[in-house]
Amino acid sequence: MVKDISADGLRGLAAANVLLCHLFLAFLPGGFAYIYPDTTTPGAMHGVVDHVIAFPPLAVLWNGQFAVCIFFVLSGYVLTKAFLETGDLCIFRLRASRRYLRLGVPIFGSVMFAWFVMRMGWSHAAEAGRLSGSTWIADFWKEPHDLAEALRDGTYRTILGGWSHFNPTLWTMKIELLGSMFVFAYRSLNLSGRRGVLGFLLAVAGLAWFFPHDWPYYVAFLAGSHVGEARLTTSRPLIASALVVAVVCGGFDVSSWYDWTRVLPLADNERKAFFNVLGGVLLLYVVRCGVFDRILQSRPAQFMGRISYAFYLVHLPILLSVSAWFFVTMSERLALDPVAAAMLTVPATFAMVIAAAVVFDRSFDRWGILLAQRVFPTPHTRTKTVAVLGSAGVRRRVRYLRRRPAERQARRSGG
């Protein structure tokens, strides 16, 4: 299987998008009044910077939910790429068996890292929220740092329940696990033509029924798998149109810019998720057409893609502790303007998170991969897939077997 390195680069940039979103939510929350309502206090900062952050076409660069939807679409694409190229169902069996350990070991490390930071009393989230006017950062880590609770979160409750008291950004991990299993089962049916369209619609309807609030996220996995088999184009107008729609969908907010989306009978959260997923699907298609290869295949993008999972897992504890302390120090002790303090905090945080992610990638992330491979090793011999005949096929087979003795006898007599 040929690895799609542009997809890896896109994942790396999406991880940077998530951190940038959380930095702005924490230290420049005024610009997120429409992207994430109810995350600022009435005294939050206002000014040119806030207006730039809130501008929808630019918001795709720091709209964290859009980046998360790109993660889900990429997972559907990457997890099914080998099957689409080979048709070997053993790929799904192996990946499904390894998925819990592959995701779970790094999750455990992330939760325990967050617990340790809480236990040491290094959180400065409340002080930073008071200075910046962000209710988002001020709401974190108000509960006691109980070790038993952290162990439960790290081993099963985060990945199965979709929530962690220690690292709340891990709400995506339940969707990542279940979405992986759904796309494995869905693609195993391998329907094509009109049956494929009907199967996709039935799958979407089922997900909407059982997951009324999160169904767009799960659909992202199915849609991402279809991007892997979509016919690519070199038409510049078509690619440009897809890119424009991706930007519009990726910058979705609740401002008057997007009043036209209310034609869909969905609540704001589901509507936002739907359009962000649509934007992620179109962006991946544009990337597969080779538009951003020079950027996505560059060394920085590839480096970020390689550490993207670790980067996502460790960034929030660092933001709530070291970044918040840095912001408070710049604002109070050095008497800097809060906007200037925030602008200095952004690059400092990226440097710290990248350093921590490199360590985490070489430890917990690698351990998760190795443990999954050891517990569920690749089989040396592949199990052959047996085709099951329908009733008509069985009848034709019986008639053929009945004819064989008579045909053999006729050949002998003729000889």
Side-chain angles (χ1 to χ4, degrees):
M1 183 188 73
V2 179
K3 187 176 183 180
D4 191 338
I5 60 175
S6 291
D8 286 344
L10 179 60
R11 183 184 290 108
L13 295 186
N17 181 308
V18 171
L19 177 56
L20 200 57
C21 169
H22 289 162
L23 283 167
F24 287 168
L25 269 173
F27 309 122
L28 292 169
F32 279 77
Y34 294 113
I35 303 174
Y36 293 104
D38 304 324
T39 58
T40 64
T41 61
M45 296 176 291
H46 298 283
V48 176
V49 174
D50 293 330
H51 286 90
V52 171
I53 293 174
F55 189 51
L58 292 178
V60 295
L61 301 176
W62 39 77
N63 183 353
Q65 184 165 312
F66 178 48
V68 166
C69 292
I70 292 174
F71 287 146
F72 295 152
V73 172
L74 280 171
S75 291
Y77 166 63
V78 172
L79 291 173
T80 58
K81 186 175 185 292
F83 168 75
L84 293 176
E85 293 177 355
T86 64
D88 187 359
L89 285 173
C90 292
I91 294 171
F92 286 165
R93 296 168 189 160
L94 189 61
R95 288 185 173 177
S97 62
R98 292 174 173 177
R99 199 64 178 157
Y100 189 93
L101 291 175
R102 168 66 187 97
L103 296 173
V105 173
I107 289 172
F108 177 81
S110 172
V111 171
M112 297 312 298
F113 172 52
W115 171 83
F116 178 77
V117 173
M118 292 178 65
R119 178 69 179 80
M120 298 302 294
W122 291 341
S123 173
H124 295 272
E127 305 164 62
R130 175 177 54 81
L131 290 172
S132 69
S134 172
T135 59
W136 178 80
I137 190 174
D139 284 340
F140 284 111
W141 287 357
K142 291 183 175 180
E143 299 182 8
H145 43 76
D146 181 51
L147 178 58
E149 191 83 1
L151 292 172
R152 284 192 290 268
D153 271 19
T155 52
Y156 66 89
R157 194 158 56 188
T158 296
I159 194 170
L160 297 180
W163 177 252
S164 170
H165 296 296
F166 302 89
N167 194 348
T169 58
L170 301 186
W171 65 270
T172 59
M173 293 297 103
K174 173 186 175 181
I175 296 174
E176 184 67 37
L177 177 66
L178 292 182
S180 302
M181 300 304 171
F182 290 156
V183 79
F184 291 151
Y186 169 74
R187 294 305 306 200
S188 296
L189 297 175
N190 202 25
L191 300 176
S192 59
R194 293 181 179 179
R195 293 182 305 165
V197 175
L198 179 60
F200 179 79
L201 294 177
L202 289 175
V204 172
L207 292 171
W209 177 266
F210 288 104
F211 304 96
H213 302 297
D214 295 331
W215 65 269
Y217 301 129
Y218 293 112
V219 172
F221 289 82
L222 312 188
S225 74
H226 284 293
V227 176
E229 59 184 359
R231 182 179 300 175
L232 303 182
T233 182
T234 57
S235 170
R236 291 186 178 181
L238 183 59
I239 292 175
S241 299
L243 183 59
V244 168
V245 176
V247 170
V248 171
C249 292
F252 183 95
D253 59 29
V254 295
S255 68
S256 58
W257 281 65
Y258 289 93
D259 283 346
W260 56 273
T261 64
R262 297 186 183 277
V263 296
L264 292 180
L266 298 173
D268 285 346
N269 290 335
E270 288 82 54
R271 196 155 40 91
K272 186 179 193 317
F274 173 83
F275 281 101
N276 285 168
V277 168
L278 178 59
V281 170
L282 292 174
L283 181 59
L284 177 58
Y285 177 76
V286 170
V287 167
R288 289 204 66 227
C289 291
V291 175
F292 298 112
D293 281 353
R294 182 172 297 181
I295 297 173
L296 298 178
Q297 295 180 13
S298 64
R299 287 187 178 182
Q302 289 297 300
F303 170 75
M304 286 300 300
R306 188 169 64 254
I307 66 169
S308 58
Y309 188 37
F311 188 94
Y312 181 82
L313 292 177
V314 302
H315 80 274
L316 187 66
I318 293 174
L319 189 151
L320 298 180
S321 56
V322 183
S323 302
W325 169 83
F326 187 88
F327 175 78
V328 171
T329 301
M330 293 293 104
S331 298
E332 286 194 333
R333 297 183 184 178
L334 301 182
L336 284 182
D337 179 79
V339 175
M343 289 302 184
L344 291 174
T345 304
V346 169
T349 301
F350 265 92
M352 289 182 288
V353 174
I354 288 173
V358 169
V359 175
F360 202 86
D361 175 72
R362 296 178 180 178
S363 53
F364 286 97
D365 198 25
R366 186 171 298 178
W367 295 341
I369 295 173
L370 294 176
L371 181 62
Q373 291 175 345
R374 179 164 296 184
V375 175
F376 302 100
T378 304
H380 296 293
T381 57
R382 296 292 179 89
T383 304
K384 293 183 178 179
T385 302
V386 179
V388 179
L389 296 174
S391 58
V394 171
R395 287 194 294 270
R396 287 194 300 270
R397 184 68 176 171
V398 169
R399 287 197 298 268
Y400 170 71
L401 293 174
R402 286 176 178 175
R403 287 199 307 269
R404 286 185 65 187
E407 292 174 352
R408 188 180 300 113
Q409 183 65 33
R411 284 196 299 271
R412 289 176 181 175
S413 300

